[in-house]
Amino acid sequence: MRASDAERERVAEILREAVAEGRLEMEEFDQRLDAAYKARTHGELEPLVRDLPAVGSSSSASAVAQPRAGSAARWSERIGRPATSTGGFAFWGGFRRRGNWTVGKVFTAFAMWGGGDIDLREANFESRETVIRCFTIMGGLRVTVPPDLGVEVRGIGIMGGFGEDTKDESAPAPDAPRVRITGFALMGGVGVEHKRSKAEKQRLRDADRQRGRLEKGDTP
């Protein structure tokens, strides 16, 4: 069966995750990625990921036909999933939410003499409208979001800070969810950072490289 552009991109995503996890050396990654973009059929794609786990699962046997996960998926595919977490708590310690998880419609984070890390770059969303409530007392909370996610930050810092780093912010995607971040920081801090994931940066580099090949006439 002839392979589609979407199927070639799904295989490329598995290869990127594999090199990021140390399963592939860069030289082998480059060879397989080049072969993926040149592949015409499923039979040419499947051997490239047969020995690798699919993104978000333990097997890649049906990876060619499966929808993409995390930031590789379209925003519409990442909204409306059952929540896997609706809060985080840290007291003399820390908590972390990152990777392929689903944030609840309302997520409440609290840190006292501790810290928390909330990473939305690979996350899915229970609702298109999401509220993240951050409260910290002599502690710190960090929220990391992709540049094209719509974010509104409304928090109060009391002898502390509640702020947003917008240097990597871009225009929100039309179909992206809206996230409102509220709360307060008492003698502590809450920081919101716009930042691309390593996998997303690798996808952009691969896309630039592929465009360069096409411009030179080296088509798949």
Side-chain angles (χ1 to χ4, degrees):
M1 184 178 294
R2 302 283 288 189
S4 67
D5 287 341
E7 289 164 341
R8 279 188 283 268
E9 184 57 36
R10 281 195 283 273
V11 169
E13 171 64 12
I14 294 172
L15 295 175
R16 294 184 191 106
E17 291 292 334
V19 74
E21 294 172 355
R23 299 178 189 273
L24 290 177
E25 298 293 336
M26 280 303 301
E27 182 178 357
E28 186 176 8
F29 165 73
D30 286 336
Q31 293 172 352
R32 293 196 189 193
L33 185 66
D34 186 60
Y37 282 121
K38 291 180 178 179
R40 298 273 186 190
T41 67
H42 285 186
E44 293 173 298
L45 284 175
E46 289 171 356
L48 301 176
V49 294
R50 186 173 295 158
D51 59 343
L52 300 173
V55 177
S57 71
S58 59
S59 172
S60 62
S62 58
V64 174
Q66 293 299 317
R68 290 174 288 180
S71 63
R74 295 186 297 272
W75 279 117
S76 60
E77 298 171 348
R78 298 169 62 179
I79 300 171
R81 302 191 182 188
T84 59
S85 181
T86 58
F89 178 85
F91 180 75
W92 284 102
F95 72 86
R96 175 180 291 180
R97 302 288 185 274
R98 65 186 309 176
N100 189 20
W101 66 293
T102 302
V103 59
K105 182 178 181 179
V106 177
F107 184 95
T108 303
F110 177 81
M112 182 173 182
W113 297 325
D117 183 6
I118 305 166
D119 194 332
L120 303 180
R121 292 175 295 177
E122 302 288 332
N124 302 307
F125 295 81
E126 181 182 23
S127 173
R128 184 172 295 278
E129 299 291 333
T130 300
V131 177
I132 297 180
R133 305 189 301 169
C134 296
F135 306 98
T136 179
I137 301 173
M138 299 180 69
L141 293 169
R142 179 177 63 182
V143 183
T144 307
V145 302
D148 61 342
L149 180 68
V151 178
E152 178 185 1
V153 179
R154 290 189 178 182
I156 300 173
I158 304 173
M159 298 180 67
F162 202 118
E164 180 181 13
D165 180 358
T166 60
K167 67 179 182 179
D168 291 330
E169 184 182 21
S170 62
D175 57 343
R178 291 289 303 175
V179 177
R180 184 157 51 94
I181 301 173
T182 67
F184 69 82
L186 175 62
M187 299 178 68
V190 175
V192 180
E193 181 181 18
H194 296 258
K195 185 178 180 181
R196 299 185 188 278
S197 66
K198 291 182 179 180
E200 180 65 16
K201 291 178 181 178
Q202 184 65 55
R203 275 191 291 275
L204 292 175
R205 286 193 292 266
D206 293 340
D208 288 340
R209 182 168 54 182
Q210 183 67 7
R211 279 195 297 269
R213 290 173 178 169
L214 293 174
E215 290 172 359
K216 293 177 180 178
D218 184 14
T219 57

